[in-house]
Amino acid sequence: MHSSTISAVCVSLFFMVGLSSAGEVKHTVIELELPAPRGNEDTAGGLLVAEVDDDGRPDILATVRGHLGVYAGSGEKLWIHQADLVVGGQSESQGLPGHHGPGVAAGDIDGDGRTEVVFLTRDGVLHVADGATGREKATARPPVPSGAERWELAIIADFRGKGDRDLLLQATNKDGYRTGRYLAAYAADELLAGGKPLWTTDHFASCAHNGARLADLDGDGRDEVLGETLYSPEGQLLVRAAEYRGHMDSVFAADVRPDIEGLEVVLLEEGSNYVQLLSRDGVIWREHFRRQEPQNAAVGRFKKGADEIFIWCRSRYNEHQKPFVFDSRGEVVFDYALDDFSPDGWTASGVEVIHTIDWTGSP
């Protein structure tokens, strides 16, 4: 793999880096040598922050159709690669990774102490590149399930307790409404050597709009696979969400209930319009607020002086949204009209993307 230069600087990346001593927002603008998206509706590609050049500071991986650009946090270009990456828009019709999905992962998958960058291309090839230079280190062409068009998402995982030395491949069904039902878990070295998977399944029930999530729910140092169904590191079905109508819009992992061992999984339903909380052992609660669709959420400690985890739900209104908040026990503790709290001049479209952040450095 080699770096290649694109003549026009077409995309700018703006990100906040903190507060000045006067309380002003500090920010950096990085000019990316990547083609701009094709029109206002093109949501293929996205951003990933990871430490790839092994200097101890986070770097930025940016993808658009046909290009992967890797930049240091300072803005210095590390390398750019042109390839037919597996990125796209709506996953239900185009497959994973979905809107704004970067289609790239980073981690030390071979244990050499250096970061590798992992991505799939539409010809069915898995690529492994040196994170600092972009030099191609290995490729593989894993077999694809008969009901899928191609492998669409590669996720770095730890299924064996050996660190980030495993890979999870995911694909959607090629016909009809596409969801990521196909999984194959591999030891990374076995996959690159043409070996067999650790386990596979054609029955994973994924979030409808993006890929599987990974989290160590029980603290044993190995990852579970999260969606509407929860799978163990060995590929065993652990839990299925309570029966509902529709599909899952969002999946989160957090220690919502410290009184219960391990982490919990938050699921947002579209259709029946409930919120579910699952543990590795089963469904903890399933509640709704006036049968309004939760749509998107932020999960975190939002009450000053309290350690309780809350689930803030956006609501589905296209304009003038009316968010509502569940506590850790499934009780709605607050609901409001966003218009009553939004800044002057805020769009009637309200909130579209939400992130839980640590802005102050406090717990």
Side-chain angles (χ1 to χ4, degrees):
M1 182 176 295
H2 61 279
S3 297
S4 56
T5 301
I6 303 166
S7 58
V9 176
C10 302
V11 179
S12 293
L13 173 64
F14 174 96
F15 65 98
M16 298 180 183
V17 295
L19 294 175
S20 70
S21 58
E24 298 173 335
V25 175
K26 297 185 293 182
H27 67 274
T28 295
V29 177
I30 298 176
E31 301 291 338
L32 304 181
E33 296 181 22
L34 299 174
R38 300 181 300 188
N40 294 333
E41 301 303 317
D42 186 2
T43 61
L47 296 173
L48 179 71
V49 175
E51 209 281 282
V52 299
D53 60 359
D54 304 305
D55 66 355
R57 294 176 293 182
D59 307 298
I60 300 162
L61 296 86
T63 58
V64 295
R65 294 183 191 272
H67 296 86
L68 164 61
V70 182
Y71 288 78
S74 63
E76 175 190 1
K77 181 180 69 177
L78 299 178
W79 51 275
I80 293 178
H81 183 62
Q82 297 186 48
D84 192 10
L85 303 171
V86 181
V87 292
Q90 185 184 62
S91 65
E92 303 95 296
S93 58
Q94 299 180 32
L96 296 170
H99 292 300
H100 306 300
V104 62
D108 181 10
I109 67 168
D110 59 9
D112 66 352
R114 294 173 62 87
T115 300
E116 284 78 46
V117 173
V118 179
F119 60 91
L120 290 158
T121 48
R122 291 186 179 275
D123 59 0
V125 175
L126 176 79
H127 298 261
V128 179
D130 181 82
T133 67
R135 176 183 61 85
E136 188 160 86
K137 298 180 67 172
T139 61
R141 191 185 292 271
V144 179
S146 60
E149 184 177 9
R150 62 173 71 87
W151 288 116
E152 300 161 2
L153 193 60
I155 308 170
I156 296 174
D158 181 359
F159 294 125
R160 297 171 296 154
K162 297 184 177 182
D164 290 340
R165 305 289 296 278
D166 303 319
L167 293 170
L168 180 69
L169 304 181
Q170 187 177 18
T172 61
N173 47 293
K174 60 186 174 182
D175 299 317
Y177 189 97
R178 299 172 70 157
T179 59
R181 68 180 65 167
Y182 302 102
L183 299 178
Y186 284 88
D189 55 355
E190 285 293 316
L191 173 57
L192 297 175
K196 294 183 179 180
L198 299 168
W199 54 268
T200 65
T201 181
D202 295 349
H203 301 291
F204 179 66
S206 185
C207 174
H209 306 298
N210 44 57
R213 301 287 197 273
L214 299 179
D216 178 9
L217 297 181
D218 59 0
D220 70 349
R222 302 180 300 155
D223 290 325
E224 280 79 24
V225 184
L226 318 180
E228 177 190 331
T229 51
L230 309 186
Y231 276 76
S232 75
E234 299 86 8
Q236 300 295 316
L237 174 64
L238 296 171
V239 179
R240 185 178 298 276
E243 186 174 351
Y244 68 99
R245 182 185 71 254
H247 60 253
M248 292 299 176
D249 268 341
S250 301
V251 178
F252 306 86
D255 191 10
V256 178
R257 290 282 297 274
D259 58 312
I260 298 174
E261 186 176 355
L263 302 180
E264 289 76 47
V265 179
V266 178
L267 301 175
L268 306 188
E269 302 175 17
E270 176 179 330
S272 301
N273 298 342
Y274 279 73
V275 175
Q276 296 194 31
L277 186 70
L278 279 61
S279 75
R280 201 177 186 275
D281 298 320
V283 178
I284 300 170
W285 53 258
R286 178 177 183 253
E287 300 292 346
H288 70 91
F289 175 62
R290 300 174 184 169
R291 300 299 290 269
Q292 296 187 65
E293 186 181 335
Q295 178 68 15
N296 309 93
V299 180
R301 294 177 172 87
F302 301 139
K303 186 176 181 180
K304 187 176 181 179
D307 286 334
E308 183 169 6
I309 295 290
F310 294 89
I311 303 165
W312 179 93
C313 299
R314 167 187 179 261
S315 81
R316 183 57 188 271
Y317 299 96
N318 291 330
E319 293 185 339
H320 309 294
Q321 292 149 15
K322 298 177 181 179
F324 45 95
V325 183
F326 289 91
D327 67 12
S328 60
R329 304 264 171 190
E331 297 289 333
V332 174
V333 294
F334 193 62
D335 68 281
Y336 63 101
L338 187 63
D339 291 348
D340 294 339
F341 293 88
S342 58
D344 291 340
W346 193 262
T347 170
S349 297
V351 174
E352 299 173 13
V353 178
I354 312 103
H355 296 283
T356 304
I357 65 170
D358 180 357
W359 188 252
T360 64
S362 59

